[in-house]
Amino acid sequence: SSELTQDPAVSVALGQTVRITCQGDSLRSYYASWYQQKPGQAPVLVIYGKNNRPSGIPDRFSGSSSGNTASLTITGAQAEDEADYYCNSRDSSGNHLYVFGTGTKVTVL
Amino acid sequence: EVQLVESGGGLVKPGGSLRLSCAASGFTFSSYSMNWVRQAPGKGLEWVSSISSSSSYIYYADSVKGRFTISRDNAKNSLYLQMNSLRAEDTAVYYCARSEGDYHSNWFDPWGQGTLVTVSS
């Protein structure tokens, strides 16, 4: 199956901007979706498609894509944004239907 | 309110079986593909299996192929995962999730709260 690679951890000062990247061959063919997961909770969709936010997700979350890399940007990070973030896309290898990224732990300082 | 509620998790010995259920409410269940995603303790998310709205298309991760069976009952608004020949490495929280999208873009929303499966002697 394909792989989606993310940096294990990033930190951001309160109110500043952080970008989380996701790299993989599948992203040349498919858009990524992004999920936020806080400890002990189920994942929550934050970005899907080209750059769409579900209702209830703050507009400080945005997504973009170029080549084999998808990015999730948090502009003006808040304390409540501290969480694990996972990207996901269809699997271009043909073996699996979907693949998740390795996950990024975001710490808000 | 759109809601997914998993049940059926628990402690099982290696080689044993377990059947997970996911009860859906608040949307037309029969119109959506559904999925199981798991998360081992302290690890990341792993896609496990997907089933199309009418059960015509079914997919499995290599790690569970031949041991797990996904199914659904649209009349009961329910999704299932029959897990056989369980191994220690199947220990995880299992989430059900609804999927949406088209060929180039898919996403999972919402997710259930998860049910813990522990495989241990």
Side-chain angles (χ1 to χ4, degrees):
Chain A
S1 62
S2 298
E3 293 183 347
L4 295 179
T5 303
Q6 301 179 236
D7 290 331
V10 297
S11 61
V12 57
L14 185 67
Q16 296 304 301
T17 296
V18 62
R19 187 166 74 172
I20 306 160
T21 60
C22 172
Q23 287 189 303
D25 287 341
S26 294
L27 300 177
R28 296 186 184 279
S29 304
Y30 304 108
Y31 285 110
S33 53
W34 290 91
Y35 304 87
Q36 176 193 70
Q37 187 180 34
K38 296 180 180 179
Q41 298 183 18
V44 173
L45 176 70
V46 293
I47 290 289
Y48 66 97
K50 194 172 184 180
N51 180 20
N52 301 294
R53 283 176 289 106
S55 60
I57 301 300
D59 61 6
R60 61 179 178 270
F61 289 91
S62 63
S64 62
S65 183
S66 178
N68 73 335
T69 302
S71 300
L72 173 70
T73 300
I74 308 174
T75 304
Q78 302 299 302
E80 60 265 32
D81 299 334
E82 185 163 294
D84 293 326
Y85 291 84
Y86 295 91
C87 59
N88 164 259
S89 79
R90 291 278 297 264
D91 184 348
S92 63
S93 73
N95 291 341
H96 288 173
L97 189 57
Y98 297 110
V99 59
F100 281 93
T102 50
T104 299
K105 168 67 177 176
V106 172
T107 300
V108 180
L109 304 173
Chain B
E1 179 193 4
V2 176
Q3 194 172 17
L4 298 171
V5 179
E6 301 94 336
S7 60
L11 175 64
V12 61
K13 289 182 168 54
S17 299
L18 212 54
R19 189 195 197 206
L20 306 183
S21 299
C22 172
S25 60
F27 66 100
T28 304
F29 181 73
S30 59
S31 296
Y32 291 87
S33 294
M34 297 295 296
N35 311 268
W36 289 99
V37 177
R38 69 183 181 183
Q39 186 171 36
K43 302 297 185 182
L45 300 173
E46 179 189 14
W47 169 77
V48 173
S49 183
S50 298
I51 185 168
S52 63
S53 57
S54 60
S55 305
S56 297
Y57 300 96
I58 288 175
Y59 305 88
Y60 297 100
D62 287 345
S63 57
V64 306
K65 201 173 294 182
R67 299 187 299 122
F68 290 11
T69 301
I70 191 172
S71 63
R72 64 190 295 162
D73 185 335
N74 287 342
K76 294 183 178 180
N77 291 338
S78 293
L79 175 72
Y80 306 103
L81 187 67
Q82 177 67 43
M83 304 186 295
N84 298 330
S85 303
L86 282 162
R87 307 166 179 167
E89 54 264 37
D90 295 318
T91 294
V93 174
Y94 285 74
Y95 297 101
C96 69
R98 184 182 74 177
S99 54
E100 289 192 70
D102 55 28
Y103 179 78
H104 288 290
S105 177
N106 294 91
W107 57 93
F108 298 105
D109 182 55
W111 298 59
Q113 86 288 351
T115 187
L116 176 62
V117 172
T118 303
V119 184
S120 175
S121 55

